[in-house]
Amino acid sequence: MHVDFLPDIILGNIFSYLSLQDLRNSSLVCKRWYSILNDEDNDVWRLHCFHKLAEEVLSSDLLSSTPTYKAKLKAFHHAWNPEDCSRNIYIKPNGFTIHRNPVAQSTDAVRGKIGFSHGRHAWEVIWEGPLGTVAVVGIATKEATLQTHGYIALLGSDDQSWGWNLVDNHLLHNGDSQGNYPMLNNAPKYQVGERIRVILDCDDNTLAFERNYEFLGVAFRGLPEKLLYPSVSAVYGHTEVSMVYLGPPLDG
């Protein structure tokens, strides 16, 4: 039987065995294949999710902001990088959450798997354990340090990283405080479990944050035109931080 006569359900089953690169190529073959693969919640993407993602994360609410199977799969491929973190950090089996080991006099950081140099990108960070004295959310280049002695705001301690310290609401870059953030009187402190949305605009070279769907304003301007990675740095033993990539931010 010619492939053109195969039912969509059979084609979808075949597609589920292809690599992501092969799926991209397949979507360019014809309108019908594009239509099948453009459905982000069909069996193709569902089966890929079941092959790649841990059952515990699919059944939890961690990925609640990624409404389709394809979006969940994309989030997984953008998650924390187990090969690009401090030796005192490991990635939990769910693939999205770091755990910092209780090592004294150490500050530890991690980067995401994929960096960005163009376009607009958003991801959520959820701090699921105690903050300690310093808990920083932001971005870093590949040159930024991922581990140092003592308890410091590692993310933002050099010219290769930019961060927001959730403990004291200070912005940090190049070892200096860049002022309070957000610019509100008596701005509320971060509560463990809240979702922080990080918004990186590589076209406008800015970094901004949202908390509980409230836009807090632009935090940093004039970012360099180089690969910038989602990043956090932590000091508290056994604290855990999850990151879920969302894709382009929704305006408004």
Side-chain angles (χ1 to χ4, degrees):
M1 178 182 289
H2 194 276
V3 68
D4 288 345
F5 297 102
L6 290 175
D8 285 1
I9 191 170
I10 300 299
L11 275 175
N13 191 49
I14 294 171
F15 287 149
S16 70
Y17 289 95
L18 300 182
S19 68
L20 294 181
Q21 183 59 52
D22 287 340
L23 287 175
R24 293 189 190 98
N25 295 335
S26 298
S27 69
L28 302 176
V29 170
C30 63
K31 290 183 178 180
R32 184 185 175 208
W33 289 17
Y34 174 82
S35 177
I36 293 172
L37 294 172
N38 197 45
D39 180 356
E40 297 193 357
D41 218 25
N42 64 17
D43 282 348
V44 176
W45 303 112
R46 181 180 65 83
L47 291 171
H48 269 281
C49 270
F50 288 166
H51 291 156
K52 294 283 189 180
L53 275 63
E55 182 179 349
E56 66 171 278
V57 77
L58 287 173
S59 60
S60 73
D61 65 353
L62 179 60
L63 302 183
S64 60
S65 296
T66 54
T68 67
Y69 287 118
K70 185 177 181 180
K72 297 180 196 305
L73 194 64
K74 184 180 290 186
F76 174 75
H77 285 282
H78 284 78
W80 297 128
N81 189 345
E83 305 299 325
D84 198 14
C85 59
S86 164
R87 63 180 180 272
N88 299 321
I89 283 175
Y90 69 85
I91 313 299
K92 296 184 68 177
N94 70 11
F96 292 87
T97 305
I98 63 165
H99 180 101
R100 182 189 177 273
N101 289 322
V103 178
Q105 291 301 316
S106 179
T107 303
D108 306 284
V110 61
R111 277 184 284 261
K113 295 173 185 172
I114 297 177
F116 311 108
S117 61
H118 64 275
R120 302 172 70 227
H121 305 271
W123 59 91
E124 289 182 339
V125 174
I126 309 101
W127 216 284
E128 301 178 83
L131 301 181
T133 55
V134 185
V136 188
V137 175
I139 55 174
T141 69
K142 273 291 187 184
E143 290 72 37
T145 301
L146 295 178
Q147 192 275 331
T148 192
H149 180 73
Y151 302 130
I152 70 167
L154 180 57
L155 193 65
S157 66
D158 55 25
D159 62 356
Q160 299 298 313
S161 58
W162 298 256
W164 173 26
N165 185 3
L166 301 178
V167 176
D168 62 11
N169 281 340
H170 283 173
L171 295 176
L172 304 163
H173 174 60
N174 206 19
D176 294 322
S177 172
Q178 306 293 305
N180 293 330
Y181 183 87
M183 297 295 290
L184 301 171
N185 291 327
N186 300 316
K189 295 294 181 66
Y190 177 80
Q191 300 298 311
V192 170
E194 287 184 319
R195 291 178 181 252
I196 295 291
R197 187 164 295 185
V198 187
I199 303 169
L200 174 63
D201 189 334
C202 296
D203 299 328
D204 202 32
N205 303 110
T206 61
L207 184 69
F209 298 90
E210 291 181 3
R211 180 170 54 201
N212 297 329
Y213 305 104
E214 178 186 359
F215 184 68
L216 301 179
V218 173
F220 295 99
R221 301 182 186 274
L223 298 174
E225 295 183 359
K226 60 193 306 185
L227 281 175
L228 301 170
Y229 294 78
S231 186
V232 297
S233 66
V235 300
Y236 199 91
H238 294 305
T239 198
E240 296 185 343
V241 189
S242 299
M243 188 263 287
V244 179
Y245 178 76
L246 304 175
L250 298 177
D251 293 322

